[in-house]
Amino acid sequence: MSRIWRISRLGARSLMLHPLRSFLTALGIIIGVGTVIYMLAIIEGRAEETQRKIRARGASNILVKAKKPSEEGNSTQSRSRMVTYGLTWEDAAAIEDALHYAEVIVPVREVNGTIYRNEFSSDTVAYATVTRYPEITRAQVVHGRWFTELEAEKSDAVIVLGSDLRDRLFQYRDPLGETVRIGSKVFTVIG
């Protein structure tokens, strides 16, 4: 115990003999610790903000895409039978079983093509999907509405246009109720 007391007295005497050095040392420690705490707080805040943005964009989603197989190497095979590719409803069910933590499976089919309205046309990507798509992807229909479950069951030819495509095809006209054509199929604009 006397040894600890002696060391404490020696430390206190050194602090009193060199007050400026002691003050600057304490100030350096306080600034250093404060800076580390400040930087950690900023990093943590940025990380939380980034994670919030990622969640808002739906980054918890897993996208599984099918790609059309190359026809170059399979020319004899493609002549003898039609090559099928893509994901089926059975594939979606298998993925849902395998990913037991998945809350929702939302099938989306992408089709590249040209969309026509009278004399206007635009190359675009069309998506065929289900009624829960806007809810899952946080997409919003600004004007009009999304298609209903009944329209999906009946396979009604309805379409929701993106704002850029709407502007290219309809300029300043209201597209709701108008028709557009993709290939030979005619669709009614609902949103």
Side-chain angles (χ1 to χ4, degrees):
M1 183 73 165
S2 65
R3 183 175 180 196
I4 294 174
W5 177 253
R6 203 172 8 159
I7 292 173
S8 300
R9 252 186 16 200
L10 179 63
R13 191 178 317 156
S14 290
L15 289 174
M16 295 300 191
L17 286 175
H18 307 287
L20 184 61
R21 185 188 310 166
S22 301
F23 172 74
L24 291 176
T25 302
L27 186 63
I29 291 171
I30 291 169
I31 290 174
V33 170
T35 303
V36 168
I37 291 172
Y38 178 75
M39 292 304 293
L40 288 175
I42 289 206
I43 290 169
E44 188 64 32
R46 291 285 183 180
E48 179 61 36
E49 180 183 347
T50 303
Q51 289 174 2
R52 182 184 53 75
K53 285 180 180 177
I54 289 171
R55 281 192 301 272
R57 290 187 171 189
S60 59
N61 300 340
I62 299 171
L63 302 174
V64 180
K65 293 186 176 187
K67 187 173 180 180
K68 187 174 183 177
S70 172
E71 294 181 15
E72 294 170 3
N74 298 336
S75 61
T76 58
Q77 185 182 28
S78 63
R79 278 187 239 145
S80 63
R81 64 179 176 89
M82 188 166 85
V83 176
T84 59
Y85 69 96
L87 300 170
T88 64
W89 288 106
E90 292 80 21
D91 295 332
I95 291 169
E96 193 170 15
D97 289 343
L99 301 175
H100 56 277
Y101 54 84
E103 293 179 24
V104 181
I105 301 286
V106 179
V108 177
R109 180 173 182 198
E110 282 184 27
V111 179
N112 292 322
T114 304
I115 187 168
Y116 300 93
R117 182 195 150 263
N118 299 338
E119 69 276 4
F120 300 105
S121 68
S122 180
D123 291 333
T124 189
V125 177
Y127 298 98
T129 188
V130 294
T131 57
R132 293 193 67 192
Y133 181 81
E135 173 191 339
I136 302 304
T137 60
R138 295 177 178 86
Q140 295 179 348
V141 178
V142 177
H143 185 62
R145 63 177 177 83
W146 191 254
F147 59 91
T148 64
E149 197 68 47
L150 182 62
E151 289 170 329
E153 286 176 18
K154 292 179 10 183
S155 297
D156 285 352
V158 292
I159 191 167
V160 177
L161 301 176
S163 59
D164 290 341
L165 184 59
R166 179 199 64 215
D167 292 344
R168 279 181 281 181
L169 294 178
F170 290 92
Q171 272 83 47
Y172 300 104
R173 294 186 57 198
D174 184 12
L176 293 182
E178 299 285 334
T179 59
V180 295
R181 183 173 48 87
I182 301 175
S184 62
K185 185 105 170 144
V186 177
F187 295 87
T188 303
V189 178
I190 61 170

